[in-house]
Amino acid sequence: MIVLKAPQDKLLAALQAVSGIVERRHTLPILANVMIRRHAGQCEFTTSDLEIQVRTSAPMDGDKSDFSTTVGARKLIDILRTLPPDQIVSLSAAQNKLTLQGGKSRFTLQTLPADDFPLVQEAADFGPTFSVPQKTLKGLIDQVHFAMAVHDIRYYLNGILFVAEGQTLTLVATDGHRLALAQATLDVEMPKQEVILPRKTVLELQRLLKDGAKEAKSKDSAKDGSEAEAARIEMCFAANQARFTFSGMEFVTKLVEGKFPDFNRVIPKNHKQHITLGRAPLLTSLQRAAILTSEKFKGVRMNFEPGALRIASNNAEQEEAKEELEIDYGGPAIEIGFNVTYLMDVLSNMDQELVTLSLQDANSSALFTVPEQDGFKYVVMPMRI
């Protein structure tokens, strides 16, 4: 039977939307597959890694009878990428094989039964559903994702703290050496939630979420409000699961169990020295200094003096870099060391022209904020150099 028939770009877009969680190596071979299900004129595409499940559907031509199978996601995507975008392609199923045909090209792929595909068991007790603009959530994730831990034994740090209360949505990430917090005020009241989203979930949401403002500008149909609705993300939470629905997709994920650190205690409140700097000049100076840092420690020294910031780095080969920036600062001299990667991460994930750096002394953490924007804070611990 003909499972589906559609333009190459339409089928490829649907597969790419769900394939981000598919890993090349699995203990279960079927987890490398995408489940394709045809029902009532719709084609549904589902992937799973046992903890995260992503599903999308699209109307596509094909035989009317219901059908489901699974096939290697990466192979199917790689083949489609090599075909012209406007070419009509078809998927036909017969005898545990799936045949993809486009023009004079023909590919036969091995399938595995859809009944064996391990769908995520969804919780039965999801709380109330609420929605926020996709642009808002993506913007918050963009501001904090880089501070998440990677494979930390403190598993609750390998993700983002998601806090919704009233009209305030707060995202916090930390790896124990630095902390990023981003906050937004929304136009809706949200039920109180405090959960930890896993790192893989965060990165996949960041990839899939759309900038609603850009989409609305490009489509006249935004006038009827349907585009604004489509640019929102609906979410609901259970004790150990979250479900997100947006842009024709359903995203179900396991939550991280554990107690996230009290981030309010980490954020400095009484630093007396505040220096406002141009973000781009500071970033480029740090990028140059980083070239000659030690591969292991990545340390830079920053000397704040009246009117000047001097940045220096060196390495085991006795090579040295020195940078100097003019700054509006009249306080006492402060010499402080940082992991330069932590500084470059925050500066390269911002688009504001100015940043404010608040300091106390060489042994206290530093606080990065944005002038006239209270919703962002970045704390970084100093290092001895």
Side-chain angles (χ1 to χ4, degrees):
M1 69 169 287
I2 298 176
V3 180
L4 63 86
K5 184 181 286 187
Q8 176 267 5
D9 55 350
K10 185 176 181 180
L11 177 55
L12 181 60
L15 288 166
Q16 287 177 324
V18 300
S19 66
I21 65 168
V22 176
E23 297 179 3
R24 295 189 183 276
R25 294 184 179 179
H26 268 299
T27 52
L28 291 175
I30 199 168
L31 290 177
N33 286 11
V34 55
M35 184 169 77
I36 302 174
R37 177 173 176 261
R38 183 166 189 83
H39 178 70
Q42 292 271 342
C43 271
E44 195 176 80
F45 304 89
T46 306
T47 55
S48 169
D49 71 353
L50 300 181
E51 295 189 348
I52 303 171
Q53 179 176 292
V54 185
R55 176 182 290 133
T56 190
S57 61
M60 294 184 183
D61 294 334
D63 291 347
K64 292 184 178 180
S65 55
D66 291 354
F67 177 81
S68 59
T69 189
T70 78
V71 66
R74 301 290 185 192
K75 289 177 184 176
L76 194 54
I77 288 173
D78 288 346
I79 292 169
L80 286 167
R81 279 181 177 146
T82 66
L83 298 174
D86 57 349
Q87 187 169 82
I88 300 297
V89 298
S90 66
L91 288 179
S92 304
Q95 299 178 341
N96 299 325
K97 296 284 198 302
L98 199 64
T99 300
L100 186 153
Q101 189 159 354
K104 295 183 179 180
S105 301
R106 184 183 177 94
F107 306 86
T108 302
L109 301 171
Q110 184 70 44
T111 62
L112 291 171
D115 290 343
D116 295 342
F117 193 78
L119 296 171
V120 171
Q121 186 67 39
E122 294 190 33
D125 55 346
F126 279 102
T129 299
F130 61 99
S131 71
V132 303
Q134 287 192 46
K135 178 186 177 184
T136 300
L137 183 57
K138 179 173 170 56
L140 294 178
I141 292 174
D142 287 346
Q143 292 179 77
V144 304
H145 74 278
F146 55 86
M148 289 186 292
V150 183
H151 303 308
D152 197 296
I153 192 171
R154 297 163 294 180
Y155 53 90
Y156 48 83
L157 299 184
N158 300 315
I160 279 181
L161 178 67
F162 179 105
V163 183
E165 186 170 7
Q167 291 185 302
T168 303
L169 179 59
T170 306
L171 267 60
V172 186
T174 180
D175 61 6
H177 303 285
R178 41 139 172 216
L179 178 146
L181 177 149
Q183 201 168 63
T185 302
L186 305 175
D187 56 357
V188 294
E189 287 281 337
M190 295 173 291
K192 186 172 182 180
Q193 302 287 345
E194 185 167 328
V195 300
I196 304 173
L197 300 177
R199 176 184 177 85
K200 188 174 180 180
T201 295
V202 171
L203 298 179
E204 195 61 14
L205 284 174
Q206 184 183 30
R207 181 180 78 88
L208 293 171
L209 288 171
K210 298 176 181 177
D211 188 331
K214 291 180 181 177
E215 288 188 349
K217 287 178 183 177
S218 65
K219 298 184 180 180
D220 292 335
S221 58
K223 295 177 183 178
D224 64 5
S226 60
E227 287 300 319
E229 188 63 31
R232 297 180 76 86
I233 175 171
E234 292 185 346
M235 56 190 79
C236 55
F237 298 89
N240 64 344
Q241 264 186 356
R243 183 169 64 213
F244 302 94
T245 308
F246 58 98
S247 303
M249 301 187 64
E250 184 186 78
F251 192 108
V252 178
T253 177
K254 185 178 179 180
L255 298 173
V256 178
E257 298 180 8
K259 179 65 176 173
F260 201 84
D262 183 355
F263 57 89
N264 285 309
R265 293 180 59 186
V266 176
I267 299 171
K269 307 279 193 308
N270 302 310
H271 282 4
K272 296 179 181 179
Q273 310 306 327
H274 308 285
I275 308 103
T276 298
L277 304 145
R279 181 191 65 84
L282 177 59
L283 176 58
T284 53
S285 292
L286 290 169
Q287 287 171 332
R288 290 190 292 266
I291 297 169
L292 298 185
T293 57
S294 160
E295 280 295 322
K296 186 175 181 181
F297 298 108
K298 290 290 183 182
V300 295
R301 294 187 307 279
M302 301 178 74
N303 285 276
F304 294 88
E305 300 172 1
L309 164 60
R310 294 182 175 87
I311 301 170
S313 65
N314 54 47
N315 57 30
E317 289 77 34
Q318 298 185 341
E319 297 169 325
E320 188 174 32
K322 291 184 178 180
E323 293 278 337
E324 185 170 333
L325 294 171
E326 292 184 6
I327 59 173
D328 182 12
Y329 177 63
I334 298 175
E335 179 177 343
I336 188 168
F338 293 108
N339 181 319
V340 70
T341 304
Y342 295 166
L343 303 184
M344 293 190 299
D345 278 348
V346 64
L347 295 172
S348 59
N349 281 281
M350 301 168 67
D351 54 13
Q352 291 85 356
E353 291 187 8
L354 300 174
V355 295
T356 297
L357 177 57
S358 300
L359 298 169
Q360 185 68 22
D361 52 48
N363 300 313
S364 302
S365 59
L367 173 65
F368 282 85
T369 54
V370 177
E372 300 179 6
Q373 183 178 321
D374 295 334
F376 176 76
K377 294 179 174 63
Y378 181 72
V379 182
V380 57
M381 297 294 292
M383 67 181 295
R384 294 184 182 277
I385 299 177

